[in-house]
Amino acid sequence: RKEVEQDPGPFNVPEGATVAFNCTYSNSASQSFFWYRQDCRKEPKLLMSVYSSGNEDGRFTAQLNRASQYISLLIRDSKLSDSATYLCAVTPSNTGKLIFGQGTTLQVKP
Amino acid sequence: DGGITQSPKYLFRKEGQNVTLSCEQNLNHDAMYWYRQDPGQGLRLIYYSQIVNDFQKGDIAEGYSVSREKKESFPLTVTSAQKNPTAFYLCASSEDRFNQPQHFGDGTRLSIL
């Protein structure tokens, strides 16, 4: 089993839709959690950290479920510009490393 | 502007040749990382350094080497022992190993001639 797993998609949604991605992790001692956005042939850019109590940034909401060992990203009112690959990243315990999922591709269509 | 600079943006390697990818940061970050990304894949960790003059192997270190002689610089050498070097190479840094997240340079695309 991979340490961090995501459904690669693609998720094809119309503009204005709400879409959610999950990311599961295998190490129950994982400490830090992040969502990154990666556009085609570009570097990943930090979208948001994921806090235990959940957090929101505009149309984006991140949640952490430690009991079931997954994090989620909810995007409301999808825009064409949200089309990208979304990578989750997890710090397993005190390793000083980030483990990335393979990414979920989102295509928002007019 | 503070950030991470990778060079060159594109690089071509001949058979049997070693090539070095540059990564410089002016964020005063202690920790630096090198990743490889293949098409349609996630990021795989090659090497990381948590402090000057120290570095550790990541998950796919074979065929690569690094140095960390200065805090701001973490060059990656792709040696001739790396038989499948064609990939997108990304350098990242974080304040320290405990204070993620990591921030990325804009990458180097390496291809075989």
Side-chain angles (χ1 to χ4, degrees):
Chain A
R1 182 185 173 189
K2 290 182 181 177
E3 287 189 78
V4 179
E5 289 196 83
Q6 295 181 253
D7 180 347
F11 284 59
N12 294 302
V13 303
E15 266 187 297
T18 295
V19 62
F21 312 131
N22 283 345
C23 166
T24 59
Y25 59 94
S26 60
N27 188 328
S28 61
S30 295
Q31 295 183 333
S32 303
F33 307 88
F34 307 95
W35 283 103
Y36 284 80
R37 171 194 168 124
Q38 186 175 26
D39 292 294
C40 189
R41 300 179 68 81
K42 299 284 191 180
E43 77 275 20
K45 293 188 177 175
L46 180 67
L47 182 64
M48 57 199 303
S49 302
V50 186
Y51 302 119
S52 297
S53 54
N55 48 297
E56 190 173 302
D57 182 3
R59 296 182 294 108
F60 298 84
T61 300
Q63 298 274 2
L64 166 62
N65 186 317
R66 283 197 183 272
S68 300
Q69 294 181 206
Y70 73 88
I71 61 173
S72 63
L73 178 68
L74 181 80
I75 305 175
R76 289 183 298 279
D77 187 23
S78 299
K79 312 289 184 194
L80 295 176
S81 57
D82 293 332
S83 298
T85 296
Y86 292 84
L87 300 165
C88 64
V90 175
T91 301
S93 189
N94 197 23
T95 60
K97 300 191 291 185
L98 267 186
I99 308 297
F100 286 83
Q102 70 174 100
T104 296
T105 299
L106 172 66
Q107 291 279 359
V108 181
K109 308 229 180 256
Chain B
D1 279 3
I4 303 167
T5 301
Q6 289 188 241
S7 63
K9 201 170 180 68
Y10 299 95
L11 187 58
F12 298 91
R13 195 191 89 168
K14 294 180 183 177
E15 292 287 340
Q17 186 181 39
N18 293 353
V19 292
T20 297
L21 284 59
S22 170
C23 178
E24 304 276 330
Q25 53 99 359
N26 60 5
L27 300 167
N28 201 34
H29 284 175
D30 282 328
M32 297 185 76
Y33 311 82
W34 274 105
Y35 294 90
R36 168 183 173 138
Q37 188 175 37
D38 293 281
Q41 303 294 316
L43 280 67
R44 292 186 289 167
L45 183 65
I46 304 172
Y47 268 98
Y48 62 109
S49 167
Q50 295 167 350
I51 200 165
V52 176
N53 292 322
D54 185 54
F55 50 82
Q56 287 81 39
K57 292 182 179 180
D59 301 316
I60 54 165
E62 187 174 347
Y64 300 98
S65 65
V66 294
S67 63
R68 186 85 187 277
E69 296 175 3
K70 298 186 293 184
K71 186 175 185 177
E72 60 270 23
S73 179
F74 190 40
L76 173 74
T77 296
V78 184
T79 74
S80 56
Q82 173 48 246
K83 296 307 178 190
N84 184 22
T86 298
F88 188 35
Y89 289 87
L90 288 155
C91 178
S93 70
S94 63
E95 281 194 44
D96 56 51
R97 61 176 283 189
F98 304 109
N99 198 358
Q100 308 281 357
Q102 298 173 18
H103 300 274
F104 287 84
D106 58 5
T108 293
R109 291 195 181 276
L110 176 62
S111 301
I112 291 290
L113 278 179

